[in-house]
Amino acid sequence: MIEAKKNIGAAYGVVNGVANLADGLKILLVEHGGACLGSLRRLLLETYGEDHQCFEVTSEDAALAIIDKQGDAFFDICFVGSKVSSTIGLGIISDITKKTGCRAPVVFVTEQGDDEHDRHTAASGAADHLVLSSLTKRALSRAIRYATDKRRLEERVEHLAFHDPLTNLPNRLLLQDRLQQVLARVRRRKGCAALMFFDLDNFKNINDSLGHSIGDALLQKVAKRLRRSCRAEDTVARLGGDEFVILLPDAGRDEEVTVLGAREVADKIFSAIAEEVIIEGHEFHVTASLGVAIVSEHSLGVDQVLRQADTAMYEAKSSGKDSCSFFVPRMEEAVLRQVQIEAQIRSGLKNDEFYLHYQPINETQSSRLVGAEALVRWNNPLLGQVSPGEFVPIAEKCGLIWPLGEKILEEACKFLVATPDLPQLSVNISSEQILRPNFVPFVENLIAETNVETGRLIFELTETALLADLEKAATAMQQLRERGIRFALDDFGTGYSSLSYLKKLPFDYVKIDGSFTRDVLDNADDQAIIEAILSLGEVLGFRVTAEGVETAEQLKYLQDKKCATVQGYFFSKPLAGDEFFKNWLAVPSNS
């Protein structure tokens, strides 16, 4: 039988899972075998008056039941006494501390005490041992204060260990623990849960331009909006940086219902973060990419679910950002392929597997050879021939574009020196290269080592490569231009196509992307874009090269529009160095 003496004093409060003793005290008394705890009750009443609640039970089973019913954080302190045997009382304490999640300190109470009792008390997990025959009001108050303060400190330390200090959200450790519990529950009860991986779009730009204090303030506001968008039972965690994870337990009875529920939550999240944020006078319009993995009885474990949600998030980013993507098995296959390619790039660099092909660039009116573009190729023993469109982005992502770019530039310079009749050679340069502090010194050393004529060397940059840091790119380009190297803006029209690039940066050439050339005969929009770029070239004084020329009709159109140079399969596919020399440099009509 459970008896509770109702508190008629101040309202009870909990701070960080620990009782605020000034507002009331909730006490569990376990009185086994008729233990005489009457004197303890009197002292409690004298010490706290009516400002406490005392829940009394007379067996271990009843104690475990009330803790389960009231919750782990309900009681502030628990007293256990046994008249029959101290061994039984200590056993009750051991079961309370080990079989429940009760956060309250447990104190062993006996009528008499000795050193042996004290030793056994500590081993059972009890916080203290009180002897009724010598217990005073002051000693009881001190024991309770000590036990509860110690528990408050322990829980504070635990909170710091399992929560993110910036947002006060659960951290990775606590998320993994809760996800493990959800996985166990899903396997036991069936049903499904959902894990959502959330990442802010372009957050790095905010940190870099306005500072980390502004970035941190934005993360705190985003965290609050995420928390408001979810249910009380959902977990919103911060993994670090601008990465958050939302765990939706009991999200649906099957995968179809769970997907619908996750979409509703995603819509709430996108609506919440879409509202403008103002921090220190700066106005932000935030977008994010969201990846969702369904947690079912077939899920293998915590790491797999996190990896699936992360993979789906990157799928959302690659699809244009500000969107939500659900994990499907093909994504995992794509990730495994990327991991495999990254590993093989590393070994390929060591084994000298990368090489260059060269595609001619021709004068539009006469078809005379005016230059070539160096294009990297890769033939791997395990993967076979891998497309640059596949391995170059992976190399950029994993930090291998620098050693790969070094190799490409070294080989291109050697080829240019070996072919004095080739007017000029274009080499693609990534953002990681142009923005790297030691890029200019590297190029200067390469010029000295190879004795290449810098006036015949052109570096091609894309608009994307310039987005990261326009000023730093401009400085590097100007330094290299002073050494005779010229620059081409590649794939113009496919990015922001900002005129500021053409005004601020020292470009000599602009290359029209092949996607516009492909349909130029039938697509009025492509015609308008090409003509606009050609007009810009005339006004701003740069030469225009049209890529992707594959037919005589396309060439005729570009001749009529007076495009300076062209490049494409109509003239030649990219060729190995010796083939290029044989077909284009050893033939008098092409010289």
Side-chain angles (χ1 to χ4, degrees), residues 345-359:
I345 290 174
R346 294 181 188 278
S347 64
L349 287 167
K350 293 178 182 176
N351 299 330
D352 205 26
E353 294 170 5
F354 295 92
Y355 55 94
L356 295 182
H357 276 183
Y358 303 90
Q359 187 171 37

Side-chain angles (χ1 to χ4, degrees), residues 43 71 108 223 226 283 363 453 472 522:
L43 285 173
F108 189 35
L226 288 175
E283 184 177 312
E363 191 176 71
E453 296 177 59
K472 190 180 287 187
D522 306 311

